[in-house]
């Protein structure tokens, strides 16, 4: 039988469909349709998820789920509750907890410690509970009892535990080192709270099967040398938020944990500039984390009034050595209000790398400017300060400006970055959106006569001044990249640009690329037909690479 309506779907397909939706959506959409759907909704094979969406009214959530919690408890596999409904949800669960035999995941925020203790004690009776996320509103600092109870949950694989106290984010524990009988089956452990280095290693003694671990640096790193090492042989992914931990202390910490990591993620806010020493990183990673496959690294540098921002005093361009290029771990700089952020991320091919080879990765460092006027936040700081700081660490070859900028501001920035090869602009701001002023024309003239970049990307082509800008820059660059909203927009841009360069004898443009959010299969044929019908080019090649279309000619 052919399927012509949704009711022809098998029950098995509906069970799978239901798993993608919240319980309220399912009951609201399918109840009272007919007897078949009523039976489906009541079937034990229909697995229900209750998610207190942060954006829906809290009263609406509770009213919708009271019946589900009371009459469909055997079907519920996850409950996520945030805010004022949490206490009411817990009360309903506790009164019938033995009936929630299918419950696999529980996420509660916020919850009082006395309520949490009694709840966790009862959760041990649930045979399928493998995931627990708790945000505790703590009235006391000692969390020994809570951790003991959580570690006693027999099936737990995922534990995320956070504690917020208005006076202190660091908790106290008096747990002993785990015996063999006390060791848990937890594989994913997120500690969303601070603690001492001793307590950190004590907690880890209870999780020898751990695969993923995330924590913030302990508060008393001066005690690190007296801590006994621990073997975490199954740990392959580690994420640390570093607020007060020097590179020296970080090295000791990792050595104490005896790891076989494949993924390491660091978010560093400590002011120690040694973290930008690439040669030191090379030696440390080769000696201690030789199996590492992915390295995510963020080093934040703070700028503020009456504060002398530390500078990096080592050699420039050390993150472009063979070690980093072979692994395709790419160095990047970006500014964010009063901060400058240095990062290392896995390589992703960019629009300007069409036809390029991997050997060019040695010149892949990008500077993304999200705020051209950090002085709005810190009066004594300018974009020059961010650029000068970045240039002590690395040369910049690719500039991305992800905010509106005037031609005059752009020119001033480019003067400071003489090695730029590509320029990516989000939006240009003009004095008059319908035309360019004489001052803007002068800035544009200087832009192309004092800089040597040959590749430009422009995101926002809407106003007449934007189009005029494109017409002026076309003959001066080899590769022009534009973002288009839809087919009509793409047709207009391609026609306009190619018609213009056809009339210029000395133009350099040989490659035009277009990015659109959604491309249909006929995009290549569509543009090819336009180019041929309007005789815009004679000999050309056109191809699609993911969301980009490239038009190349001689």
């Amino acid at each position: 039988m052919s399927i012509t309506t949704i009711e022809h779907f098998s029950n098995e397909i509906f069970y799978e469909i239901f798993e993608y939706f919240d319980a309220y959506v399912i009951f609201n959409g399918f109840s009272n349709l007919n007897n078949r759907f009523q039976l489906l909704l009541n079937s034990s094979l229909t697995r229900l998820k209750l998610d207190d969406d942060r954006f829906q009214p809290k009263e609406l959530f509770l009213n919708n789920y009271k019946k589900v919690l009371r009459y469909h408890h055997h079907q519920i596999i996850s409950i996520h509750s945030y805010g004022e409904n949490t206490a009411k949800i817990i009360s309903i669960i506790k009164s019938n907890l033995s009936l929630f035999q299918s419950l696999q995941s529980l996420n509660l925020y916020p919850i009082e410690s006395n309520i949490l203790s009694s709840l966790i004690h009862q959760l041990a009776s649930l045979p399928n509970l493998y995931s627990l996320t708790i945000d505790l509103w703590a009235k006391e600092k000692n969390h020994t009892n809570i951790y003991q109870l959580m570690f006693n949950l027999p099936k737990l694989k995922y534990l995320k535990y956070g504690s917020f106290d208005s006076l202190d984010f660091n908790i106290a524990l008096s747990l002993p080192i785990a015996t063999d009988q006390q060791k848990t089956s937890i594989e994913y452990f997120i500690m969303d709270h601070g603690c001492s280095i001793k307590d950190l290693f004590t907690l880890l003694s209870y999780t020898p099967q751990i695969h993923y671990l995330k924590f913030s640096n302990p508060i008393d790193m001066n005690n690190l040398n007296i801590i006994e090492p621990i073997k975490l042989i199954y740990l392959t992914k580690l994420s640390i938020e570093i607020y007060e931990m020097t590179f020296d202390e970080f090295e000791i910490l990792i050595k104490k944990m005896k790891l076989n990591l494949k993924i390491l993620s660091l978010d560093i806010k400590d002011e120690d500039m040694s973290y930008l020493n690439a040669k030191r990183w090379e030696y440390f990673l080769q000696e201690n984390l030789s199996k590492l496959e992915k390295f995510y690294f963020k080093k934040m540098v703070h700028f503020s009034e009456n504060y002398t921002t530390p500078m990096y005093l080592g050699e420039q361009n050390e993150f472009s050595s063979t070690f980093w290029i072979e692994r395709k771990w790419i160095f990047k700089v970006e500014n964010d209000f009063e901060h400058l952020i240095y990062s290392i991320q896995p390589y992703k091919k960019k629009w300007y790398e069409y036809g390029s080879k991997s050997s060019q990765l040695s010149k892949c460092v990008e500077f993304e400017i999200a705020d051209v006027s950090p002085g709005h936040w810190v009066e004594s700081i300018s974009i020059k300060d961010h650029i000068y700081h970045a240039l002590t660490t690395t040369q910049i070859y690719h500039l991305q400006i992800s905010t509106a900028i005037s031609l005059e501001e752009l020119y001033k920035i480019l003067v400071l970055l003489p090695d730029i090869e590509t320029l990516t602009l989000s939006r240009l701001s003009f004095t008059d959106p319908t035309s360019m002023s004489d001052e803007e024309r002068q800035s544009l003239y200087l832009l192309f006569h004092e800089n040597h970049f040959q590749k430009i990307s422009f995101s926002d082509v809407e106003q007449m001044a934007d189009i005029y800008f494109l017409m002026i820059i076309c003959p001066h660059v080899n590769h022009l990249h534009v973002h288009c909203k839809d087919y009509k927009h793409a047709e207009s841009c391609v026609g306009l640009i190619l018609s213009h360069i056809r009339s210029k004898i000395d133009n350099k443009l040989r490659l035009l690329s277009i990015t659109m959010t959604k491309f249909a299969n006929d995009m290549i044929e569509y543009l090819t037909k336009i180019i041929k019908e309007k005789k815009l080019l004679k000999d050309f090649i056109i191809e699609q690479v993911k969301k980009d279309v490239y038009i190349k000619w001689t």
Side-chain angles (χ1 to χ4, degrees):
M1 181 182 71
S2 62
I3 297 176
T4 57
T5 69
I6 190 174
E7 291 194 4
H8 289 155
F9 287 161
S10 67
N11 288 353
E12 288 71 23
I13 291 177
F14 277 111
Y15 295 141
E16 291 187 24
I17 291 173
F18 290 161
E19 289 194 21
Y20 289 94
F21 295 98
D22 180 75
Y24 171 69
V25 175
I26 296 171
F27 279 87
N28 190 50
F30 292 92
S31 62
N32 301 319
L33 286 180
N34 56 43
N35 187 56
R36 181 200 175 192
F37 282 111
Q38 203 61 45
L39 291 172
L40 280 173
L41 294 177
N42 292 322
S43 170
S44 60
L45 297 176
T46 296
R47 297 148 61 90
L48 300 177
K49 301 176 181 178
L50 280 64
D51 191 350
D52 181 2
D53 191 305
R54 295 174 186 267
F55 301 105
Q56 68 169 296
K58 300 299 180 183
E59 185 178 346
L60 177 64
F61 168 81
L62 197 61
N63 290 338
N64 288 335
Y65 290 119
K66 278 182 178 178
K67 285 187 177 180
V68 178
L69 284 165
R70 294 191 186 281
Y71 302 112
H72 296 272
H73 35 66
H74 61 290
Q75 298 169 252
I76 297 173
I77 61 170
S78 70
I79 301 174
H80 293 185
S81 181
Y82 312 89
E84 61 200 54
N85 281 326
T86 300
K88 297 174 183 176
I89 294 292
I90 291 173
S91 176
I92 296 173
I93 294 173
K94 287 179 64 177
S95 63
N96 298 284
L97 191 63
S98 61
L99 301 177
F100 288 83
Q101 293 296 297
S102 298
L103 189 63
Q104 300 174 4
S105 175
L106 189 58
N107 187 330
L108 301 173
Y109 169 86
I111 181 172
E112 300 283 351
S113 56
N114 59 327
I115 298 175
L116 177 61
S117 297
S118 61
L119 173 65
I120 296 177
H121 183 76
Q122 292 178 263
L123 290 178
S125 65
L126 298 181
N128 296 301
L129 185 71
Y130 71 85
S131 175
L132 181 63
T133 299
I134 297 293
D135 259 306
L136 183 71
W137 189 273
K139 290 184 177 179
E140 69 285 325
K141 289 179 63 175
N142 196 305
H143 295 237
T144 302
N145 183 54
I146 293 172
Y147 260 112
Q148 284 177 326
L149 291 170
M150 291 191 295
F151 286 157
N152 281 331
L153 296 175
K155 301 293 184 179
L156 204 61
K157 297 289 185 182
Y158 177 99
L159 174 60
K160 180 180 179 182
Y161 180 64
S163 174
F164 177 78
D165 187 290
S166 59
L167 299 177
D168 197 348
F169 287 94
N170 303 301
I171 70 169
L173 294 166
S174 54
L175 284 169
I177 297 294
T179 64
D180 288 341
Q181 292 74 27
Q182 292 174 318
K183 292 176 180 179
T184 71
S185 58
I186 293 171
E187 297 178 2
Y188 302 87
F189 189 16
I190 300 173
M191 284 180 274
D192 201 7
H193 59 73
C195 63
S196 70
I197 187 68
K198 175 180 176 294
D199 289 339
L200 170 65
F201 275 68
T202 298
L203 289 172
L204 293 177
S205 72
Y206 287 80
T207 60
Q209 303 296 318
I210 193 170
H211 290 63
Y212 171 74
L213 172 64
K214 181 178 180 180
F215 63 91
S216 299
N217 69 263
I219 56 175
D220 56 344
M221 294 303 295
N222 54 309
N223 293 324
L224 184 58
N225 287 318
I226 64 174
I227 297 297
E228 289 296 318
I230 187 172
K231 284 187 178 181
L232 299 172
I233 59 175
Y234 299 106
L235 185 63
T236 58
K237 185 175 181 180
L238 174 63
S239 179
I240 311 177
E241 294 181 3
I242 296 174
Y243 296 93
E244 295 182 7
M245 184 195 300
T246 65
F247 200 167
D248 291 339
E249 292 168 336
F250 169 78
E251 287 184 330
I252 297 171
L253 175 66
I254 296 300
K255 291 175 182 178
K256 291 268 187 179
M257 298 174 87
K258 299 185 182 299
L259 305 172
N260 295 311
L261 289 184
K262 292 185 178 180
I263 302 173
L264 174 61
S265 179
L266 302 174
D267 188 351
I268 304 165
K269 296 178 177 65
D270 188 275
E271 66 178 17
D272 184 5
M273 297 304 290
S274 300
Y275 281 111
L276 293 178
N277 188 326
K279 287 184 179 178
R280 183 173 174 180
W281 273 115
E282 287 183 35
Y283 177 78
F284 174 76
L285 294 176
Q286 288 174 321
E287 288 293 312
N288 300 280
L289 299 173
S290 59
K291 296 180 180 179
L292 200 65
E293 298 173 0
K294 294 182 180 180
F295 184 38
Y296 299 90
F297 167 98
K298 281 176 60 178
K299 168 73 173 83
M300 182 177 289
V301 177
H302 185 64
F303 292 75
S304 67
E305 300 283 354
N306 304 317
Y307 172 72
T308 302
T309 301
M311 304 293 287
Y312 177 67
L313 302 177
E315 295 293 324
Q316 192 188 46
N317 299 326
E318 290 183 338
F319 282 103
S320 297
S321 69
T322 303
F323 173 87
W324 304 97
I325 300 307
E326 285 179 348
R327 290 161 178 77
K328 294 187 176 182
W329 295 344
I330 306 304
F331 195 62
K332 180 181 178 180
V333 190
E334 56 190 303
N335 82 334
D336 177 26
F337 305 119
E338 71 269 36
H339 298 117
L340 195 62
I341 301 168
Y342 296 93
S343 64
I344 296 168
Q345 301 167 358
Y347 165 74
K348 291 182 180 180
K349 196 163 187 176
K350 300 294 183 71
W351 64 268
Y352 50 77
E353 294 179 293
Y354 176 76
S356 66
K357 297 180 181 179
S358 59
S359 59
Q360 294 176 293
L361 290 180
S362 60
K363 294 179 118 181
C364 64
V365 179
E366 178 182 80
F367 187 14
E368 180 179 353
I369 297 178
D371 191 344
V372 295
S373 303
H376 290 320
W377 312 97
V378 182
E379 288 186 9
S380 62
I381 303 301
S382 71
I383 190 65
K384 287 184 180 180
D385 296 300
H386 286 177
I387 293 173
Y388 287 149
H389 197 286
L391 290 175
T392 64
T393 306
T394 182
Q395 287 173 276
I396 306 296
Y397 298 101
H398 307 282
L399 177 62
Q400 177 181 345
I401 301 177
S402 53
T403 186
I405 187 171
S406 69
L407 286 169
E408 183 181 2
E409 290 173 318
L410 176 60
Y411 172 71
K412 290 178 180 179
I413 290 173
L414 290 172
V415 167
L416 303 174
L417 298 170
D419 300 314
I420 291 298
E421 296 181 357
T422 71
L423 173 62
T424 300
L425 298 173
S426 174
R427 182 162 53 90
L428 285 168
S429 55
F430 297 96
T431 305
D432 180 357
T434 63
S435 63
M436 282 188 182
S437 66
D438 291 338
E439 291 80 5
E440 288 167 338
R441 288 172 188 268
Q442 179 65 16
S443 295
L444 191 57
Y445 174 82
L446 293 172
L447 193 68
F448 287 99
H449 284 78
E450 297 185 14
N451 295 278
H452 304 288
F453 52 84
Q454 294 296 304
K455 300 178 181 182
I456 289 186
S457 174
F458 194 39
S459 298
D460 197 345
V461 187
E462 292 293 335
Q463 306 169 140
M464 284 303 299
D466 299 327
I467 296 169
Y468 189 68
F469 170 77
L470 282 182
M471 296 305 97
I472 293 177
I473 68 172
C474 279
H476 297 279
V477 297
N478 294 330
H479 182 179
L480 176 62
H481 180 81
V482 293
H483 290 248
C484 297
K485 297 181 296 184
D486 49 37
Y487 274 35
K488 287 291 184 181
H489 196 194
E491 178 183 352
S492 175
C493 286
V494 170
L496 193 66
I497 293 166
L498 295 183
S499 296
H500 183 74
I501 61 123
R502 186 178 57 179
S503 65
K504 301 288 183 180
I505 299 174
D506 58 346
N507 82 84
K508 297 178 182 179
L509 190 63
R510 293 294 180 271
L511 181 60
L512 174 62
S513 55
I514 299 168
T515 290
M516 276 180 22
T517 304
K518 292 183 179 179
F519 274 118
N521 295 330
D522 64 342
M523 187 63 182
I524 300 294
E525 292 80 3
Y526 179 78
L527 291 177
T528 300
K529 182 181 178 182
I530 291 169
I531 293 171
K532 288 183 176 180
E533 285 182 351
K534 296 184 178 181
K535 298 180 181 179
L536 299 173
L537 294 170
K538 289 183 179 179
D539 298 319
F540 66 95
I541 297 171
I542 181 169
E543 67 172 319
Q544 182 175 335
V545 181
K546 295 183 178 179
K547 293 182 179 180
D548 294 331
V549 167
Y550 293 86
I551 306 169
K552 187 177 182 180
W553 62 93
T554 55

